[in-house]
Structures are given as C-alpha cells and as structure tokens.
Amino acid sequence: MSLITELRWRGMVQDIKPGTEEQLQKEMTTAYVGFDPTADSLHVGNLVPIMLLVHLQKAGHKPLALVGGATGMVGDPSFKAEERKMLDEETLLHNQRCIKAQLERFLDFDPARTNAAEMVNNYDWFKDISFLRFIRDVGKHITVNYMMAKDSVKKRLEGDSGMSFTEFSYQMIQGYDFYHLYTAKNCKMQMGGSDQWGNIVTGTELVRRMGGGEAYAFTCPLIKKADGTKFGKSEKGNIWLDPAKTTPYEFYQFWLNASDEDAETYIKIFTFLDEPTIASIIGEHRQDASKRVLQKALAKEVTSFIHGAREYELAVTTSQILFGNASVDVLRNLSEEELLKVMAGVPQHTVSDADLDAEKDAVSFLADIGIFPSKGEARKTIQNGGVSLNGSKLTGIDQTIGRGDLINGRYFLFQKGKKNYYLVKVA
C-alpha cells in the first residue's frame, strides 16, 4: 500500500498537489512539517502532523520537523480572528528546545539511517537575511493579488480587526522556508493541516519561480468533534503531550471519553493499527457499545505511543483505583514512586510512626487525622459502608488500623464515598 493510499483510508488527506503520489512512489522523498513554537509543549492538536511524519518515515521517506523560530516571531494569521501575541526571543528558544525533545521521542533521528529524521529551525537561515534583500530577491516573485486571493487572508481583511503587514508577510516567510529546504536539503514536499494550504502553495510557487523546480504538497483535514466543537480541548484546556502539564491519566481519560462517532474517526488517524484490525474493533464495539471496546483500544494505543506502555498501565490502574475497582494487590504492586504518581492531586495527611504503636479503631483514626470532622460522622459513614481502606470496605467501626495495612510500608489509602480519596503517609 502506498503512503497516500494508506493515509486516504485513514481520512488524512484533504488537499493534494498533482504529482505528489507519483513523486512518493518514484523515490525516497524528503518532506517537512512546521511546528509553531508558541508553547513549551506540543498538544494533541499537533498529533496529526506528528503522525504524518511518522507514517512518512515508516514508508521509507525522510521527515524534516521544522520548528519555526523565525515564523514564531511573526505568528501565523491563517483563519485567526485577531493578531497573535508576540513572544520574546528567550521564550521562543525555550519552547523550541522543549518541542525538539518531544519530537525526538516519536521519530528516528539515527544518522545511520538513510531516511533519518532531522530537526531544522528557520531562524537559522532568516537571521542573516536583511529586509531589503528579502523584498528584492523573494518578494518580487509573488504578487499582492496572489497573496490577497488566499481564503485565509480574505477572511481577515473582511473582519473588523484587519491584518497587519507583519501577518500579511507570513505566507511569504513560510513559502521561503520551503524554497530554502528545497535548495539546502533537497526537500520536495510539505505537509500540514488544511488551514495551511494557502501558505504551502505559496512555497511550491517560490520553488518553481525562484529555483525552477517542482515541489509537492498535501494536507490533512482539521480534526473536529462530531458535535462541531474544537478537538483537543478539555474542561481544563489543552490536552498537552508534556506529562507535567497533562498527566498520562488525564491524557488516557481524554481518549477514553470520546464519543462513539469520534472514536471511529480517531482510531484511524491517531493509531498505527491496520485496516482489518480497526474494522474488527469497530465491529465488536457496535455489538455492545456499553463495553466501550473502541474507546479502550484507542486510549491504549495513543497513550502508549505518547507516554509509553508503563504509563498507560499506570493510567489504567489509576482509573481502577479512582473508580473503586482496584484490589489491594494492585495497590501493593505499585512502587512508592508509582503510587505517588497515581495519587497526584489526592489530599494527603501525615501520621507519626509512634501513632501506630497502639492500633486505633477506624473511627478514632479517621477523625484524629482530619478525614472526618468528628467521630460521630466517621462512625455513621463507616456503618453505612461508605469508607474503604486500600480498596476494601471497612468491616465495622471497631476495625483497627495498623502497620499490617500499610502499602509499601508507608501509606494508607482511604476512600470516602465514591470519589473522595485521601493518602495517609507515615512519617
């Protein structure tokens, strides 16, 4: 199966320049995708271009990941309602380093490979180009009429905010990226989201008019939820690839909570499962949607790809714990580091080791450390079966709490009701 055929059944091709498929079948082709360094982490909205680069390399072609150190100073205006906030150079450099570190986890940069991935930064070639040189040598090749005909420009000009000259020049700057990579890296193709089509085509025109060469391109549709809302957002905002910004558990839950319709789209785009496997999963899911077979497969594949198999397993364990399905054996098999990671965000209390010398009844223990405001409330909740210790319901108000109940020799995990957890540490 050719690369374009593979991407088409996955729903990942929208616009494509004539000759693109033939070029990919003819020879190993170098192609690039640009990443905007406006944050110090990529998010799930960036997963589509990442997947394009990975598919490209798997098919034997050479991927280039361009981090826009120069274009990041301008801000892409494509289909944006207003001008973006400018970032200072120090912030951009920090963001670029973080993005590069993330991309290195998904692509093979081993120079021993003929199609090894490479990182490039357009600031490296723009920093030495003067404004006069740029408008003389590059600007003369693209007319203002051509630039204003782009839909992304038209919509801004028709709006109330208009468009600054800085933003208007963006498509020329991105177009020059393609020309530079064509001449310096023999890069003949650019890929991106469908909102980039106007900028990408400007690049193919510069390659033709300045270099006399032929350049190719295709775009992927912008991903939206079935209800029309923006993909990649949660109640807390963006779903980031950085585990410090979005925990693997939250990341896993994002995919697990996808609607049936969305999950059928996502599993084709965001996993590497083949067509028969995906068809089988969808078929099984449709037989009994309540089992959420489709969402579980999707969440497993994407979480494992981004964070690794062990973080996926911890995300599942966290789900089991937080939804009350985990056994004490599951908890005891976690290392201290894993337990603390799983319990990140859970209220924590501390007791001294001496407090465990005389085993207390559950009512006194829970009231003394503040999980309940009074012994009366603790007693009532325990009698109603509303308190669990390490995944098991307390048997009665006279049950004692002692060292034999500790996880990793240091922790108790109490659950009050369905969703309230408390981690108690022995200091």
Side-chain angles (χ1 to χ4, degrees):
M1 187 183 295
S2 72
L3 174 62
I4 296 298
T5 301
E6 167 87 11
L7 295 177
R8 275 201 173 108
W9 81 257
R10 291 183 181 276
M12 297 178 72
V13 177
Q14 178 160 320
D15 307 293
I16 185 165
K17 197 169 184 295
T20 296
E21 191 164 7
E22 292 76 8
Q23 169 62 32
L24 288 166
Q25 292 173 336
K26 182 174 72 174
E27 62 186 358
M28 184 183 81
T29 302
T30 300
Y32 89 96
V33 169
F35 294 90
D36 194 359
T38 51
D40 61 1
S41 172
L42 299 172
H43 51 79
V44 294
N46 302 121
L47 266 183
V48 172
I50 289 173
M51 299 301 285
L52 289 176
L53 288 173
V54 175
H55 278 295
L56 183 85
Q57 190 170 44
K58 283 178 176 286
H61 303 289
K62 184 178 178 66
L64 298 181
L66 183 149
V67 179
T71 41
M73 293 181 178
V74 177
D76 183 4
S78 298
F79 300 102
K80 303 295 189 299
E82 57 187 29
E83 188 164 3
R84 290 184 174 185
K85 179 183 177 182
M86 297 293 182
L87 298 178
D88 60 77
E89 190 171 343
E90 184 179 349
T91 301
L92 283 168
L93 288 172
H94 168 73
N95 293 349
Q96 291 159 36
R97 286 192 292 268
C98 294
I99 290 171
K100 180 178 180 180
Q102 287 183 330
L103 290 175
E104 286 174 340
R105 292 166 29 213
F106 311 124
L107 297 164
D108 190 345
F109 287 81
D110 183 359
R113 290 186 59 156
T114 55
N115 68 329
E118 288 186 40
M119 292 287 306
V120 292
N121 181 351
N122 59 11
Y123 183 74
D124 292 338
W125 53 86
F126 270 111
K127 68 180 187 295
D128 297 322
I129 300 177
S130 71
F131 177 71
L132 288 176
R133 178 188 158 194
F134 188 79
I135 60 174
R136 183 194 66 186
D137 296 343
V138 181
K140 67 181 180 181
H141 292 283
I142 301 294
T143 67
V144 171
N145 290 354
Y146 176 89
M147 296 172 72
M148 291 184 67
K150 299 294 172 63
D151 287 341
S152 57
V153 174
K154 280 182 181 178
K155 290 188 177 182
R156 277 295 295 277
L157 292 177
E158 291 169 359
D160 295 332
S161 60
M163 177 181 280
S164 69
F165 174 77
T166 301
E167 290 184 295
F168 185 64
S169 67
Y170 186 91
Q171 65 173 290
M172 286 290 295
I173 297 172
Q174 183 173 325
Y176 185 79
D177 284 341
F178 201 168
Y179 169 75
H180 173 85
L181 293 174
Y182 176 84
T183 57
K185 299 281 186 181
N186 193 32
C187 178
K188 296 182 179 180
M189 189 172 299
Q190 185 179 359
M191 307 175 294
S194 58
D195 61 334
Q196 292 296 306
W197 183 244
N199 295 335
I200 290 172
V201 171
T202 298
T204 64
E205 281 298 295
L206 282 180
V207 169
R208 184 177 66 84
R209 297 179 187 187
M210 292 180 66
E214 190 69 29
Y216 305 92
F218 69 91
T219 64
C220 181
L222 295 181
I223 310 302
K224 288 188 177 180
K225 294 181 181 179
D227 62 6
T229 58
K230 189 172 183 179
F231 166 76
K233 295 277 189 178
S234 71
E235 292 179 0
K236 296 181 180 179
N238 279 326
I239 302 296
W240 300 98
L241 305 192
D242 183 347
K245 291 178 176 288
T246 299
T247 67
Y249 165 73
E250 292 170 325
F251 187 86
Y252 169 77
Q253 286 291 323
F254 170 78
W255 302 99
L256 192 65
N257 290 322
S259 70
D260 291 350
E261 187 175 351
D262 286 335
E264 287 194 19
T265 299
Y266 298 166
I267 200 167
K268 295 173 185 176
I269 294 173
F270 298 112
T271 80
F272 298 101
L273 298 174
D274 59 31
E275 192 169 7
T277 301
I278 290 176
S280 175
I281 292 170
I282 291 174
E284 182 181 355
H285 177 82
R286 288 177 177 175
Q287 289 178 4
D288 187 355
S290 66
K291 293 181 178 178
R292 301 185 72 76
V293 171
L294 176 58
Q295 284 88 345
K296 288 177 181 177
L298 170 67
K300 176 183 179 181
E301 293 296 319
V302 185
T303 306
S304 297
F305 174 60
I306 299 300
H307 295 295
R310 183 55 185 158
E311 291 294 345
Y312 158 72
E313 292 168 2
L314 284 175
V316 173
T317 299
T318 304
S319 300
Q320 292 172 341
I321 294 170
L322 297 182
F323 290 100
N325 299 318
S327 67
V328 67
D329 291 335
V330 170
L331 292 168
R332 293 190 188 280
N333 285 332
L334 295 174
S335 68
E336 182 174 1
E337 180 183 356
E338 289 170 341
L339 178 66
L340 292 175
K341 185 181 291 187
V342 164
M343 291 292 106
V346 169
Q348 297 190 16
H349 299 263
T350 302
V351 297
S352 69
D353 185 66
D355 288 338
L356 301 181
D357 288 339
E359 293 189 348
K360 292 183 179 181
D361 62 86
V363 171
S364 299
F365 187 92
L366 293 169
D368 289 348
I369 63 176
I371 291 178
F372 285 94
S374 68
K375 289 184 179 181
E377 187 173 333
R379 183 180 297 106
K380 182 179 179 181
T381 307
I382 293 171
Q383 288 174 330
N384 290 331
V387 181
S388 296
L389 169 60
N390 301 336
S392 300
K393 285 191 182 298
L394 295 180
T395 56
I397 59 174
D398 57 348
Q399 180 175 338
T400 57
I401 309 296
R403 288 190 176 84
D405 299 309
L406 288 169
I407 300 170
N408 288 315
R410 296 187 69 187
Y411 298 95
F412 301 105
L413 178 64
F414 288 97
Q415 181 184 359
K416 181 172 68 173
K418 290 185 177 181
K419 296 183 178 181
N420 298 310
Y421 288 84
Y422 304 87
L423 190 65
V424 179
K425 178 180 178 180
V426 179

